[in-house]
Amino acid sequence: AVVSTQSTGNQSKESHKSDCHNLNVDPFKVCTFYNILKEDMAMGLLEEIQDMEFTFKENDLLSLHQTADLNNVKSPFISAVREFIYTKVKATIEGITSAKFNNTVDMHGIKFMQHDNLLCHSDCLNTRHTAFILYLVPKTWSTESGGTLDLFKSDKEGLPREVAKSLCPQFNSFSWFEVSDRSWHQVSEILEDDIRWSISGWFHAEDAPVVKPKSESFTLFFTPPVESDLDILKSWISLRYLNIEISSEIQEKFQEDSEVSLSEFLNPEKYLALCADMSSMAWLNVGPSNKKKYQVCNKPSQLVAEFNDLIKTDAFAVLLSHLTGLPLSANYDDPDCNDFSDKPFGMMSSQISRWEHGSYSLLCDQEVMNLPDRLHIFYHSEVYDGYDVDAGGYISFISHSDEEPLLVIPPQKNTLSLVFTRTDEFGFTKFINSKMQKPFYCISAQYVARTSNEEQDVGNNSDSSGGN
């Protein structure tokens, strides 16, 4: 039975004010029923949830553990609470919202362990109408534990920009909200060695909001390489990578794996100077939060600007062509790649970025559709010794046809990583958790070359882990 109720929100029905205390809270209405179950019922439910089998789920958006759907579970406490939610709680929410739910209710046991998290999303999908969470966290849980339900403020375009309110889970409380195109929220990283237990799900309705993805206009622009002298490379690049025999060996590996990482890529003097400048430059936050969160620099130092300009030169394109076998320059002397009259080629984009605890980038399908085959380059600097991929910050490449990552690129200091991707392959940078000891930096770019069918067989090795 419900012992006491309270809510926070923008508004509620007048007839229910005896059941719900009304508070004006931005950015959207969230209602919480406290002490919703009798104490013995809540404790029995927690024990049954803890005894269930959980599956670890991880992708660009989340890291968490989840049970199978609780609809078919026969244990006594789960069955009793399920019936209570599906009847009395459901009827109460229908009365407050005037919604008419159908018979579909999703419900799963969820546990977030240390460093787990769920990034910014709206929950809008198919007939979902109202999201709910029944918290079964330890009674000592606090904001220092992490795992808060963070609510995002939306901009004029309806996109999430910043966290406006953080709600701390409380044992035996039931929070719910109506999903919409502005119900942006996340579960913050679990910061302590404890478990955030909960049951979560959705009530469905035929008149649930239908939200069309907010796609941004996206036009491909190809920048031809800037004419330059090949000698410019000698002042920057380690001489071993300018050696024809070594570059041929690298090309062979790249052709087989669709990727290669080149350690100690820059001369030591240039690398140390670049690191010093990177750490002292001004950085700007980028978003929106449902797509990405990291920092970029639009006004780099002179040295960093010189390196960023270097990767746009024809000399660098020739070097990449030798390292990969891809025709990125008209001056690449491969006899099979000498006709560029009707084949646009060059750089598609470049970026100077800074990554720290809390940074990430997500998969955004509307921005990667119909992109051509391309070569990604990532130059990482200031990555500390002892970095562990468990801290996040690695770049993971996936395809529509595979569930598992095709390739993972961890950041490594003074290393240039080259990755070839097809039109249906794209990457994201995994959320950086509190294990990360210090920020690191990345200068990245994408190159596009129109090639023949034979040449586009780069990386088409069925045994390769390199993004085919």
Side-chain angles (χ1 to χ4, degrees), residues 325-340 343 451 455:
L326 296 171
L328 302 172
S329 168
N331 292 317
Y332 178 44
D333 56 2
D334 189 308
D336 294 326
C337 304
N338 55 9
D339 180 11
F340 286 88
K343 302 172 184 176
T451 56
E455 291 164 341

Side-chain angles (χ1 to χ4, degrees), residues 391-405:
Y394 56 83
I395 303 166
S396 180
F397 285 90
I398 68 169
S399 75
H400 287 300
S401 58
D402 292 288
E403 293 184 2
E404 296 298 320

Side-chain angles (χ1 to χ4, degrees), residues 112-114 138 140-141 145 190-197:
F112 287 86
M113 303 182 71
Q114 189 172 24
T140 56
W141 200 272
S145 305
I190 308 303
L191 300 174
E192 297 181 348
D193 187 14
D194 212 337
I195 299 179
R196 182 188 190 269
W197 300 97

